[in-house]
Amino acid sequence: MNHMKKRVLYSREEINGRVQELADMLSREYEGKDLVLVGILKGAFIFLSDLVRSMGIPHQIDFIRVASYGSGTVSSGKITITKDLECSIEGKDVLIVEDIIDTGTTLASLKTMLGDRKPASLKICALVDKTARREVEIDADYVGFTMEDGFVVGYGLDCNEQFRSLPEIYVIEE
Ligand code: IMP
Ligand code: MG
């Protein structure tokens, strides 16, 4: 696993710069709002921690963890919450923070589930948008990087729980 061939796709500098740009946009958008950032575990934990430290406005942080269910490798297109939020989001301005959008299944389901809890607003911020593999229609409101296809690791993203702590984002080369 650790011998997998991989190359840097986004450097530390590129990530830092882009995260700061996103944080600036969010600080303008959510100024004076009752903002709750909802990080999706585990992949978003590093992105979220950098993002909030670059933002200049008050906010709350909460986490949610989901699993997709279905038999074997065939996804049912549904998800289940395995660790729920600890705060109520009713009436709050909620921003879902995700590491990567792939088929779109996770975010589409989660957006519906959280939308049922009557937030004042509900938007999505994704570090990476992998556009070529979309199966469910979902658009992120804020995107760090857009790529076509390929498997990426580092900066919170894993491959079988490996590589999350790498400071750069790498693409795995077969
Ligand atoms: P989706 O429901 O198909 O959009 O899948 C989203 C989830 O799959 C993400 O939250 C990641 O945990 C995982 N994932 C998808 N693509 C990658 C990747 O390239 N690297 C690491 N994790 C990925
Ligand atoms: Mg993952």
Side-chain angles (χ1 to χ4, degrees):
M1 181 66 66
N2 273 306
H3 309 295
M4 267 175 166
K5 233 182 128 198
K6 52 192 187 313
R7 71 177 160 83
V8 174
L9 187 62
Y10 307 116
S11 69
R12 188 70 219 228
E13 291 68 33
E14 284 173 282
I15 297 169
N16 286 350
R18 192 64 189 129
V19 168
Q20 186 63 60
E21 285 173 2
L22 289 171
D24 291 344
M25 281 190 262
L26 294 171
S27 295
R28 281 193 297 274
E29 162 106 18
Y30 289 101
E31 172 101 70
K33 300 270 176 72
D34 201 353
L35 174 62
V36 182
L37 291 111
V38 171
I40 306 184
L41 294 172
K42 300 176 210 175
F45 82 112
I46 290 181
F47 174 43
L48 180 75
S49 71
D50 278 349
L51 195 63
V52 294
R53 286 179 296 170
S54 301
M55 282 174 25
I57 53 163
H59 59 269
Q60 284 179 60
I61 298 166
D62 206 340
F63 290 98
I64 197 163
R65 184 147 162 73
V66 298
S68 51
Y69 56 94
S71 52
T73 53
V74 184
S75 167
S76 64
K78 294 216 174 80
I79 59 159
T80 180
I81 294 173
T82 56
K83 182 239 170 279
D84 207 341
L85 299 176
E86 282 158 25
C87 70
S88 164
I89 55 167
E90 188 174 342
K92 311 251 179 174
D93 292 287
V94 176
L95 183 70
I96 301 173
V97 180
E98 171 66 309
D99 54 357
I100 188 164
I101 317 178
D102 189 18
T103 63
T105 308
T106 307
L107 277 175
S109 309
L110 195 60
K111 201 172 177 190
T112 305
M113 286 166 140
L114 295 185
D116 288 344
R117 301 184 189 184
K118 313 259 185 300
S121 68
L122 181 59
K123 289 192 175 183
I124 293 170
C125 176
L127 177 65
V128 179
D129 187 355
K130 216 187 316 186
T131 54
R133 289 180 26 103
R134 200 71 97 252
E135 289 170 16
V136 182
E137 205 181 307
I138 184 88
D139 282 317
D141 302 275
Y142 300 91
V143 171
F145 300 100
T146 302
M147 62 184 285
E148 274 253 310
D149 203 358
F151 201 86
V152 288
V153 296
Y155 199 68
L157 290 148
D158 76 303
C159 180
N160 293 329
E161 295 302 324
Q162 298 288 307
F163 310 123
R164 287 195 199 276
S165 55
L166 293 175
E168 305 84 12
I169 296 175
Y170 292 78
V171 62
I172 304 276
E173 293 183 320
E174 299 306 323

